[in-house]
Amino acid sequence: IGKIGFLSIIYFGLPNLKITQIAILFLETAIEYLTNSSEFGDADAHYGLSILYHYGGHGVEKSKEKEMYHLDTIDLLKVYSGK
């Protein structure tokens, strides 16, 4: 589906939900997607999670420790990939 594609599926697939319900569902789906992708070494997913943990809110607890873990992992991925 891709990183953006599931948003359109949620929006067009659930037309009876209010926009706030769609946003919450999108956020839950995004967190799940980013978490799964990060487990496979996706640097963009680690960055997205670091942003979520930096700001917190909407069901995500603000956590400097988790933010830094994901940012440090990005650095490690760069070292191992030679970028």
Side-chain angles (χ1 to χ4, degrees):
I1 291 176
K3 293 183 181 179
I4 302 299
F6 62 85
L7 175 59
S8 60
I9 289 171
I10 290 171
Y11 181 75
F12 292 111
L14 305 170
N16 295 327
L17 294 177
K18 295 179 182 176
I19 193 68
T20 53
Q21 292 170 314
I22 292 170
I24 290 169
L25 183 58
F26 172 69
L27 181 61
E28 291 171 355
T29 304
I31 293 168
E32 181 180 339
Y33 179 86
L34 291 172
T35 301
N36 290 339
S37 296
S38 71
E39 291 171 359
F40 286 98
D42 185 324
D44 292 333
H46 280 286
Y47 180 73
L49 288 168
S50 74
I51 297 298
L52 287 172
Y53 288 121
H54 175 81
Y55 291 105
H58 303 288
V60 177
E61 186 177 328
K62 188 174 182 176
S63 171
K64 188 68 172 175
E65 181 180 316
K66 289 180 181 181
E67 173 194 0
M68 294 310 299
Y69 164 78
H70 289 288
L71 291 175
D72 289 344
T73 302
I74 294 169
D75 290 338
L76 288 174
L77 289 170
K78 287 179 183 177
V79 169
Y80 289 124
S81 69
K83 291 182 180 179

